[in-house]
Amino acid sequence: MTEPKRAPGGFPVVGVVGGGQLARMMQGPAIELGVQLSVLAEDEVASAALVIPSSPVGRHTELDHVLDFARSCDVVTFDHEHVPQHVLQALESEGIVMRPSRSALRFAQDKLAMRERLSELGIACPRWAVAREAAHVERFGEEVGWPVIVKTPRGGYDGKGVIVASSTADAESWLAHVGEPGPMSDGLLLEERVEFTRELAALVARSPSGQAAAWMVVETVQTRGICTEVLAPAPDLDPGLGSRATEAALRIAGELDVTGVLAVELFEVPGPAGRPGYVVNELAMRPHNSGHWSMDGAVTGQFEQHLRAVLDLPLGDPRPRARWTAMANVLGGDYPDLYSAYRHVMARDPSAKVHMYGKGVRPGRKLGHVNVSGTDLADARERARHAADYLQGAITQ
Ligand code: ADP
C-alpha cells in the first residue's frame, strides 16, 4: 500500500473524492490547520483542482481510479454522494478509512433506503411509497391525493430528479426505466406533496468518537428547485421546533453512524394546536449549501468542522458570531466576467464576504455565494442579495 505523503510535523492527508466547490472550500481551513488535502478531480480545471496542488484526475465511478487515490490518503471523504456502493465496498475491504462510511453514505445516496430507515427510527417523513409500476402510482395518488411528488431514488440534485405528477401519466417515462440498471433500478420514490410553510435545515457534525456539534437551524429559500438564500438562524422559529429538529438531526447522525457534517433538509409544516412541526426531506453527509453561512457567521465553519470530524479531532464551537447571517448564492447567468463586478460589490459593502468557486459560467450553475452578518435581518438579507445579484449580472447598480 502506498504510504500517504505526510507533511513535516506528522500532519495527515485528507483525500476528497470529487473536485467540486465543497472540496475547494475545505482548502482554506485545511491550509490553516496544516492538514494536506488531496482531491480526486474530474478534470484539471475542476473547481478544487485549481487550488489544491495534489489533484489527480480520475473518475469517481472507476474502481481503480478511486482505489489508487484512496491508498495515498490517511482518510477519505467526499465532495458528493455519487461514488457507487461497489466502489465504496472495495475501499472498505482494503481497510481504507472512509468518513462517512459506506453503510452511512447509503442513506444519503438512495432516497428509498433513507425513507425506510428514517421511518424505522420514527423520524417524521412525508407519507411515501415505492412504485415499480403504474398501478402503484395510481393507488398512492388516490390514497394521499394528487399531485404526488415522484423522485429518482439516486443521482438527483438541485431538484433534478423530482417531478410533480398530476396523474400516473406524468410518471410513465420514468416508470419505463424501473428495473433497468441505473438510478431507478429498485423503483421510484413517491411522496405526498407536503404543504410546507418553509424549508429549514438542521446541520450537525459528528466524529468517530461520537462527539457531536449542532449549528442553529436555518431557513433555506429555494427558487425553481435550487437553493438561492439561507437565513441563519431561521427567523421566528418556534423554539420547540428548533430543539426538536436539532435533536432529530443529532439522533439521525448517531443512529446512522454518520461521521463528518450531516445536513438534514426539513419542511416546516403547520402542526396541531397551531404549533409548527417538521418532516424530513433529505439527508446530505458532507458540507452543504445550507451551511455556507457558517464560514463567516459561526465560530467554527462547516468546512473546518468537517475536517476536524473526519480526522476525529475535538470539534469546534458551532455558535454564531452575529445575531443574523444571510447567505445568497451567485448563480450563473449570461454574464461571464464575474471579476469585473468586484469593484462595485466591494466598494458598496465592505462587510460582504464574497466566496467564488472558480467555475465556468453556465446558466443556473452555483458559482459562488455571499455572506453578510449583522443585527438586522432584512438589511443583511438585502445586502447579500444585492451583492449576489450584481455578481451574477442580474442588476447593474
Ligand atoms: P434534490 O435531491 O434534487 O435536491 P429534493 O428531494 O431536495 O431534491 O427536492 C427538491 C425540492 O423539491 C425541495 O427543495 C422542495 O422544494 C421540493 N420537494 C421535494 N419533495 C417534496 C415533497 N414531498 N413535497 C413538496 N415539495 C417537495
Side-chain angles (χ1 to χ4, degrees):
M1 195 152 154
T2 334
E3 276 299 303
K5 291 191 203 67
R6 284 171 174 253
F11 292 94
V13 179
V14 175
V16 188
V17 179
Q21 68 254 25
L22 301 178
R24 178 185 175 111
M25 285 187 271
M26 241 176 265
Q27 176 70 331
I31 290 171
E32 284 157 13
L33 292 171
V35 167
Q36 296 202 82
L37 277 196
S38 181
V39 167
L40 182 66
E42 299 68 47
D43 53 49
E44 292 85 1
V45 292
S47 175
L50 295 174
V51 298
I52 299 174
S54 170
S55 296
V57 170
R59 284 214 295 276
H60 62 268
T61 46
E62 289 289 326
L63 175 56
D64 292 348
H65 296 187
V66 182
L67 207 49
D68 272 358
F69 169 74
R71 285 177 181 142
S72 66
C73 306
D74 290 289
V75 50
V76 170
T77 188
F78 306 91
D79 173 77
H80 54 67
E81 40 277 311
H82 307 311
V83 182
Q85 279 281 321
H86 75 271
V87 172
L88 299 172
Q89 178 75 65
L91 266 65
E92 191 178 287
S93 309
E94 261 218 29
I96 305 260
V97 183
M98 275 187 291
R99 292 181 179 149
S101 66
R102 177 189 63 78
S103 53
L105 259 179
R106 195 164 84 83
F107 302 110
Q109 292 181 321
D110 187 321
K111 291 180 181 175
L112 276 174
M114 178 269 293
R115 284 280 173 251
E116 262 163 37
R117 189 78 182 99
L118 294 188
S119 304
E120 270 167 30
L121 292 172
I123 304 270
C125 289
R127 281 183 289 171
W128 65 277
V130 51
R132 296 194 184 83
E133 54 188 69
H136 298 158
V137 184
E138 194 64 34
R139 196 180 322 138
F140 186 73
E142 277 162 22
E143 203 178 296
V144 304
W146 299 95
V148 300
I149 305 288
V150 186
K151 298 186 178 181
T152 56
R154 295 187 294 275
Y157 66 97
D158 284 350
K160 297 180 179 64
V162 177
I163 49 179
V164 182
S166 305
S167 71
T168 304
D170 291 341
E172 252 151 30
S173 59
W174 282 9
L175 282 167
H177 296 289
V178 170
E180 290 171 7
M184 305 175 203
S185 58
D186 303 329
L188 304 176
L189 171 62
L190 306 178
E191 291 177 359
E192 67 175 310
R193 186 168 74 168
V194 178
E195 299 293 339
F196 54 81
T197 35
R198 59 176 167 173
E199 299 194 45
L200 304 172
L203 203 76
V204 300
R206 182 174 173 275
S207 69
S209 306
Q211 192 194 358
W215 286 274
M216 53 199 185
V217 172
V218 299
E219 175 173 345
T220 64
V221 180
Q222 331 281 323
T223 315
R224 287 178 291 280
I226 301 182
C227 172
T228 45
E229 282 179 293
V230 172
L231 310 176
D236 302 319
L237 184 68
D238 177 79
L241 173 59
S243 356
R244 279 181 284 130
T246 303
E247 276 167 30
L250 290 169
R251 178 150 173 256
I252 293 169
E255 297 277 1
L256 272 44
D257 198 17
V258 179
T259 44
V261 170
L262 167 73
V264 181
E265 295 180 15
L266 306 157
F267 296 136
E268 180 174 332
V269 290
R275 298 303 298 273
Y278 69 86
V279 292
V280 171
N281 177 27
E282 68 166 342
L283 309 179
M285 294 181 195
R286 49 170 171 75
H288 187 252
N289 203 162
S290 64
H292 289 353
W293 70 273
S294 66
M295 298 169 80
D296 303 299
V299 176
T300 311
Q302 63 166 347
F303 295 98
E304 175 181 346
Q305 196 77 303
H306 189 73
L307 287 172
R308 287 178 181 236
V310 302
L311 289 166
D312 206 11
L313 292 167
L315 298 180
D317 184 349
R319 278 178 299 182
R321 285 180 188 276
R323 173 72 184 91
W324 299 104
T325 300
M327 190 263 356
N329 275 338
V330 178
L331 301 181
D334 308 326
Y335 195 57
D337 190 4
L338 295 159
Y339 185 63
S340 67
Y342 269 28
R343 196 165 294 280
H344 169 89
V345 166
M346 291 177 178
R348 183 180 192 267
D349 193 347
S351 45
K353 305 298 274 182
V354 178
H355 301 261
M356 296 303 286
Y357 310 151
K359 286 162 65 172
V361 177
R362 260 197 259 128
R365 195 180 199 200
K366 288 176 185 165
L367 305 176
H369 68 270
V370 180
N371 286 333
V372 175
S373 296
T375 50
D376 182 291
L377 173 63
D379 176 63
R381 187 174 184 182
E382 189 284 322
R383 284 159 53 203
R385 188 67 273 152
H386 179 95
D389 281 347
Y390 196 91
L391 283 160
Q392 65 197 27
I395 52 173
T396 53
Q397 53 182 323

